[in-house]
Amino acid sequence: MSAFEPLLQSLRSAVGAANVLTEGNLSAWEQDWRKREHGKALAVVRPASTLEVAEVVKACVAAGVSIVPQGGNTGMVVGSTPDTSGTQVVLSLQRMNQVRTLDAANLTVTVEAGCVLQSLQETCEQAGFLFPLSMASEGSCTIGGNLGTNAGGTQVVRYGNTRELCLGLEVVNAQGEVWNGLTGLRKDNTGYDLRHLFIGSEGTLGVITAATLRLYPLPASQLTAFAAVPSLEAAVELLGLAHRFLSAGLTGFEVMGQFALGLVVKHFPQQRVPFQSMGTPYCVVLENSDHESEGHARAQFERLLEAALDSGCVLDAVVAESMAQARSLWHIRESIPLAQAQEGLNIKHDISIAVSRIPAFVRETDAALEQAFPGARLVNYGHLGDGNLHYNVQAPQGFDAEAFLKNQEKPINALVYEAVDRFGGSISAEHGIGSLKREKLEQHKSPVALQMMRAIKTALDPHNRMNPGRMLRLSAAE
Ligand code: FAD
Ligand code: 2HG
Ligand code: ZN
């Protein structure tokens, strides 16, 4: 009998034998989305309620076994999969997927952590409300994962990150106790705001089991435009005009480099990407959400685009004529990470820099990369409205991507992150740290900040059972 058999028995009695997976192909839980690492779980445990989560945590802690909380396993930084030891329990929240209540007057919805983002969006829309968090992974990522990573996405320019959308949490802490903080209050100054500790903690402090989230009225109309711009400077100028002309109506502003769009054309040839023959270095997709009418939204967009064409920051633009056309324009943008994955393993930099400094950062860093790594292909795109770029690097054409990654990832990261520091930016804007960027966190965060983070971690999880080895190194030996 394995030393873990008593724990497995406790887990089976907590959640039912069918929900403790130890055999067969567990790759869906053991391998990360980017296929960077394939771990080995002691078991994948699938509780159906907060009390079951609490029992699982208590049993694991008593047995000295660590827990890896997992939602949709779409994370980008290898944070939701087990290590290769075969001794960690993956705690999957997928069965906890219910919308508990929707409070129309309070403009809030309370939902379980395993609810898939798209399914929450649809439930809210059917009730006449907008839950604005949106990203290409929304068909599989979960609210718990969104909160665990403080995910961003494509509507942050108007509605903020997941943190801004969350009013309350329910959490099972590292002792297996339930903290019910599902207040739905917009004002509550009763001491430290624990909610903000758990948001963005990547499963290292406890398990989020439910959340109370903000809702917004559905806009009367949402219009999407796709514009060709002559430079990143021009894209930033267009952003300024969009803020001025659309004000709070500006709900999306994404930039896409020509090579990134070329990957979509190559891997998804059925998609029609506007302005490909123009050869402009960048395109922008922008969205205007209007609470009056489609006519009003269109008139605003026309005024904006007229000003932008006059100033030369836009060379050409199309405005979607229908919802279907709008969706297909957004689909182009959302297909870039998938096209990049089809092209092969790649090096990702999810960085943020003040919008005003982005053109200079890209100009200097593009040149430095081209000089140091000739032929490396830059897949530059992202949430320009938030100052967040996915400044990714693909192996030179014809190179073995795995070998390129092995030999060049470190020096490429060093070059890019040195520039990010110089420009006062962040090495992780929205994806988090996971295990991929743990060393980088140490190099780019101040010793004082790291010491306070470690103090929080050891106070809340003194035995380091919650997602150990992710985000934060507790000692030099770890
Ligand atoms: P997982 O990958 O399962 O987990 C992510 C982290 O959260 C892990 O550390 C895990 O331990 C922790 N966690 C999960 N559930 C819980 C819980 N209940 N309690 C505590 N901790 C938990 N991200 C963006 O920010 N913006 C984007 O635009 C975006 N686009 C994407 C597009 C694609 C195609 C893909 C594949 C990913 C994209 N992502 C994006 C990354 C990813 O989808 C987000 O990070 C998402 O929030 C992860 O949710 P998940 O449920 O898959 O979490
Ligand atoms: C996006 O914005 C995601 O599409 C994924 O954050 C970014 O793949 C990436 O680098
Ligand atoms: Zn992104």
Side-chain angles (χ1 to χ4, degrees):
M1 188 174 89
S2 117
F4 293 112
E5 199 49 43
L7 169 64
L8 293 173
Q9 282 304 346
S10 307
L11 295 174
R12 287 184 194 111
S13 63
V15 302
N19 295 306
V20 180
L21 315 180
T22 53
E23 282 164 4
N25 184 356
L26 300 181
S27 295
W29 295 273
E30 290 178 334
Q31 181 163 50
D32 71 298
W33 188 86
R34 290 175 63 192
K35 300 196 172 23
R36 293 292 302 248
E37 276 165 40
H38 195 149
K40 171 90 191 86
L42 170 64
V44 176
V45 181
R46 306 173 74 233
S49 69
T50 303
L51 290 180
E52 286 186 10
V53 173
E55 276 194 63
V56 170
V57 171
K58 276 187 193 142
C60 289
V61 170
V65 162
S66 57
I67 297 158
V68 182
Q70 191 182 93
N73 195 18
T74 66
M76 289 279 171
V77 288
V78 193
S80 53
T81 47
D83 63 21
T84 51
S85 66
T87 63
Q88 297 191 311
V89 162
V90 172
L91 197 163
S92 166
L93 279 295
Q94 278 166 327
R95 290 176 68 223
M96 289 186 61
N97 57 10
Q98 297 302 303
V99 175
R100 289 189 187 163
T101 52
L102 192 151
D103 184 338
N106 198 41
L107 284 173
T108 52
V109 63
T110 296
V111 59
E112 291 181 345
C115 183
V116 168
L117 173 56
Q118 190 174 355
S119 135
L120 179 62
Q121 292 165 346
E122 285 168 4
T123 305
C124 297
E125 192 175 336
Q126 278 154 23
F129 296 99
L130 172 74
F131 179 62
L133 188 66
S134 179
M135 61 196 80
S137 54
E138 64 200 22
S140 15
C141 70
T142 62
I143 294 303
N146 301 149
L147 287 158
T149 56
N150 184 27
T154 54
Q155 303 275 295
V156 174
V157 69
R158 166 70 177 88
Y159 300 102
N161 296 304
T162 312
R163 184 185 297 286
E164 277 81 46
L165 296 170
C166 178
L167 294 174
L169 285 182
E170 178 187 84
V171 168
V172 172
N173 69 14
Q175 290 67 44
E177 299 158 333
V178 180
W179 167 54
N180 185 337
L182 294 172
T183 65
L185 300 176
R186 283 171 175 77
K187 290 189 159 186
D188 179 11
N189 284 349
T190 50
Y192 300 133
D193 197 331
L194 299 173
R195 155 187 57 151
H196 286 307
L197 277 184
F198 288 98
I199 298 172
S201 67
E202 302 184 35
T204 63
L205 299 180
V207 185
I208 296 167
T209 48
T212 299
L213 304 167
R214 285 178 200 269
L215 294 176
Y216 290 83
L218 278 172
S221 161
Q222 268 179 321
L223 280 189
T224 302
F226 197 100
V229 296
S231 63
L232 257 187
E233 282 84 353
V236 169
E237 189 185 333
L238 175 62
L239 174 63
L241 289 176
H243 277 303
R244 215 170 80 210
F245 279 80
L246 307 179
S247 188
L250 178 65
T251 46
F253 195 98
E254 302 281 315
V255 74
M256 299 155 290
Q258 192 184 66
F259 182 68
L261 287 170
L263 287 181
V264 176
V265 174
K266 176 175 171 189
H267 294 286
F268 305 111
Q270 71 281 13
Q271 292 199 35
R272 296 173 60 83
V273 180
F275 313 125
Q276 273 300 284
S277 56
M278 279 176 78
T280 56
Y282 291 95
C283 285
V284 165
V285 65
L286 60 161
E287 185 183 76
N288 182 16
S289 298
D290 193 277
H291 286 274
E292 263 187 63
S293 65
E294 184 176 329
H296 186 252
R298 237 172 241 289
Q300 271 190 323
F301 242 174
E302 270 163 27
R303 279 198 295 275
L304 162 66
L305 292 174
E306 222 173 85
L309 285 162
D310 278 354
S311 87
C313 70
V314 161
L315 300 173
D316 205 350
V318 285
V319 180
E321 288 296 331
S322 63
M323 271 312 280
Q325 226 179 64
R327 258 188 237 113
S328 66
L329 292 177
W330 271 108
H331 193 47
I332 296 166
R333 156 63 184 93
E334 287 171 351
S335 300
I336 298 174
L338 304 160
Q340 227 202 321
Q342 299 260 322
E343 186 71 7
L345 289 172
N346 51 72
I347 303 171
K348 290 193 188 298
H349 304 108
D350 162 40
I351 57 178
S352 60
I353 290 172
V355 170
S356 50
R357 307 192 75 190
I358 280 186
F361 166 86
V362 170
R363 203 178 327 111
E364 287 180 26
T365 316
D366 276 8
L369 279 171
E370 268 148 27
Q371 195 181 20
F373 307 94
R377 297 172 297 163
L378 303 182
V379 187
N380 185 8
Y381 65 103
H383 318 287
L384 184 63
D386 322 325
N388 174 193
L389 288 183
H390 298 305
Y391 189 75
N392 300 339
V393 182
Q394 202 95 33
Q397 184 76 46
F399 260 60
D400 175 344
E402 209 163 326
F404 182 74
L405 217 67
K406 196 158 160 248
N407 299 322
Q408 310 294 13
E409 184 166 31
K410 272 199 170 165
I412 286 180
N413 283 343
L415 189 155
V416 172
Y417 292 142
E418 182 280 322
V420 168
D421 275 349
R422 199 156 25 85
F423 277 83
S426 164
I427 62 156
S428 177
E430 59 171 6
H431 294 163
I433 301 296
S435 46
L436 269 192
K437 292 190 183 165
R438 204 170 63 136
E439 266 178 51
K440 300 284 169 299
L441 188 76
E442 303 231 341
Q443 292 159 10
H444 296 271
K445 209 90 186 162
S446 79
V448 180
L450 285 168
Q451 180 228 314
M452 290 193 286
M453 285 166 72
R454 288 193 184 106
I456 291 166
K457 167 72 176 172
T458 43
L460 293 189
D461 180 20
H463 302 296
N464 195 17
R465 295 293 171 233
M466 300 307 309
N467 220 358
R470 297 350 182 274
M471 193 163 89
L472 202 55
R473 176 176 281 147
L474 291 185
S475 66
E478 207 191 41

